[in-house]
Amino acid sequence: MELTYWWILPLAAAAVAVSTLLYLRRRRPVLTRAIAHGDRLTGLPEYRHALRRYRVRLVLAALLAGLFLAAAAITAARPAQRSTEQPEIRNRDIVLCLDVSGSMTSTDAALAAVFKDLAKEFDGERIGMVIFDSSSVQLFPLTDDYDYAEEQLTQAEKALADGAGSFFDGTWNGEGSSLIGDGLASCVQSFPDTAGNGVTAEDTKRSRSVVLATDNFVSGASIFSLSEAGALAAGKNVKVHALNPSDMDYGDDSGQPGAQLKATAEATGGTYSTLDSPDAVPRIVRQVQETEATAYLSAPRSVVADAPAWPLGVALLAGLGMLVLGRRLDR
């Protein structure tokens, strides 16, 4: 244990010493009167017993008063307990990667609503959001400013529910529609490059997940194929969790849209889910939140915690003892 304001103790001792000296100097002599045959009274056993008991109580009262003052001074000096801890931190980076073509808006709106609610519960996570159609737009980068993220997700939810507005500007700059490979590659590039400059050790330890909402119905030629984008994700240790609202494959051919999306997601160590109803979105996203986290020990740090319990307890007991003795002395 250590005292934060240790200098209070010598000041308190000096104050008690000065007060005692002033009291002794200003104390007036007690006026007494002679009583005839007083020795008869003082010689009684009952008197001697009462006097002895009175003196013992005075000594106890003085000791309790000193103990009370000492405990109060120690409490005022703010006793503290110093310890070293190395807490476990569970952090994750999550990028919402939303295909905003016409067939996906209802699912995207449900995802934005779920993540808006989850942002209120996040602690240490960073969240970002990218939308794409024929081209990609980063709505906001990875951030742990949850008020800002919630504001952006609220705007996204409203725009996706309405299906119109400036929210979609920049997503139609390419040729074609639903260029899934290019969209996924853009989402993967939203994470800090592990080999780049300015990347902290914490960045390399954080879990990385992409929640990709798409039906994988591609219209047009993209720079990255879906498998190439998946390989890019795997190379950056990014897990892709694909949400497919339709899962409309025509046969068991591995080249079908749903089969391709499933193979790509699972190749990164991620998951593939079909959505029977919008209510399935919160369940799936919460599963990702519960399972996708990297646990690591943070740097050791010194923790100082106030420890006033025992001096306050001593002061309380001493004060109660003084009250009890004071009543008995009055008798």
Side-chain angles (χ1 to χ4, degrees), residues 152-207:
Q152 296 299 310
L153 288 167
T154 300
Q155 296 177 5
E157 179 189 5
K158 185 177 184 302
L160 290 165
D162 295 341
S166 60
F167 174 81
F168 300 94
D169 290 351
T171 62
W172 303 316
N173 292 339
E175 296 182 359
S177 177
S178 292
L179 303 184
I180 314 300
D182 290 351
L184 177 56
S186 297
C187 295
V188 171
Q189 295 291 1
S190 298
F191 296 99
D193 191 345
T194 56
N197 295 327
V199 178
T200 65
E202 181 183 344
D203 287 329
T204 62
K205 295 178 180 179
R206 300 176 74 96
S207 168

Side-chain angles (χ1 to χ4, degrees), residues 56 66 73 76 81-82 107 109 113 126 142 170 179 190-191 212 277 281:
V56 169
Q81 191 73 35
R82 184 181 297 272
T107 300
R126 296 189 303 196
L142 286 170
L179 303 184
S190 298
F191 296 99
L212 173 64
S277 69
V281 172

Side-chain angles (χ1 to χ4, degrees), residues 75-95:
T75 302
R78 194 175 177 181
Q81 191 73 35
R82 184 181 297 272
S83 61
T84 301
E85 65 177 25
Q86 195 173 7
E88 183 181 82
I89 298 178
R90 301 182 63 84
N91 286 341
R92 59 173 67 82
D93 285 346
I94 304 172
V95 172

